Amino acid sequence: MVAKVIDVAKARTAGDLRDVVHRAVQALSEGKVVGFPTETVYGLAASALDGEAVERLSQAKGRAADNPYTLAVKSLGDALDYVPQMSPLAQRLARRCWPGPLTLLLEVDRANSLVARLPEVVQQRVCPNGTLGLRVPASPLVIDALRLMTGPLALTSANQSGSSDPVTSEEVLEQVGENIELVLDDGRCQFGQSSTVAL
């Protein structure tokens, strides 16, 4: 079955944007995979508190287990819960660039962070080698969804592994539409390329 597409521009015009976010949150809470527009490219998201949902994300993506996902959070404060030993330099970068197209790849001590509370399969998918990618996307839809969720999102580009990153909902549907449940269509992404990764 092909993913359901919600026209965000139409919902925005009708004043129903909250309904769009609620529908995305409901899908995520039910363990489904959702395609979100971000400022960079379209992404696929699953609740990072749901190991089965993250496995569904991996199946939709066709991604190897040793290629980690980013953890999307809503703020620097949330990021510090997952990497409490974040360096002052990384914190400065986060304050300056978040929300925005920056992923921070940071060493993490799982035992002393909220990473340890994620399901084991999710820990292996987001932090297989002792480093964790964190991002606060400059997407009101993602941020609003995160505000209503009880935890972070496992996030990756909405393409099959090895294929080009999608910048429209049509490209998402072409690549993974039969493997996900919902896509929020908000037109072409602003930047059209993946976020910058800072180590």
Side-chain angles (χ1 to χ4, degrees):
M1 187 170 76
V2 178
K4 178 173 179 51
V5 177
I6 297 176
D7 186 331
V8 175
K10 191 182 290 183
R12 189 178 286 117
T13 301
D16 291 335
L17 209 50
R18 274 192 303 176
D19 181 57
V20 171
V21 173
H22 281 278
R23 288 170 72 182
V25 168
Q26 179 178 351
L28 292 164
S29 299
E30 292 171 354
K32 296 176 180 172
V33 178
V34 177
F36 279 96
T38 74
E39 75 281 20
T40 54
V41 298
Y42 273 77
L44 295 180
S47 169
L49 301 182
D50 186 334
E52 290 181 7
V54 173
E55 284 303 295
R56 276 195 280 286
L57 174 63
S58 297
Q59 291 165 8
K61 179 90 173 160
R63 180 178 244 177
D66 61 350
N67 192 353
Y69 298 123
T70 298
L71 210 58
V73 294
K74 63 182 177 290
S75 67
L76 173 57
D78 282 5
L80 288 169
D81 289 336
Y82 290 92
V83 186
Q85 75 283 11
M86 189 186 298
S87 72
L89 175 59
Q91 291 185 51
R92 279 199 302 275
L93 271 173
R95 281 192 198 93
R96 177 168 286 230
C97 300
W98 282 352
L102 173 71
T103 299
L104 291 177
L105 191 59
L106 304 164
E107 289 188 19
V108 62
D109 176 6
R110 285 194 210 180
N112 295 310
S113 83
L114 284 186
V115 172
R117 294 196 184 171
L118 299 175
E120 184 60 35
V121 66
V122 177
Q123 291 183 45
Q124 291 304 316
R125 287 292 187 174
V126 300
C127 188
N129 303 310
T131 58
L132 178 67
L134 286 166
R135 183 166 176 222
V136 179
S139 163
L141 293 168
V142 176
I143 296 297
D144 288 348
L146 282 164
R147 287 187 178 127
L148 296 175
M149 300 285 295
T150 56
L153 295 173
L155 184 68
T156 183
S157 55
N159 61 318
Q160 282 284 311
S161 285
S163 300
S164 59
D165 294 334
V167 296
T168 66
S169 65
E170 291 81 10
E171 292 174 1
V172 176
L173 292 173
E174 285 172 17
Q175 294 200 46
V176 296
E178 293 185 359
N179 301 316
I180 65 174
E181 287 75 20
L182 182 65
V183 178
L184 307 185
D185 176 4
D186 199 18
R188 188 175 183 84
C189 295
Q190 179 183 358
F191 297 129
Q193 61 184 22
S194 297
S195 65
T196 300
V197 177
L199 307 173

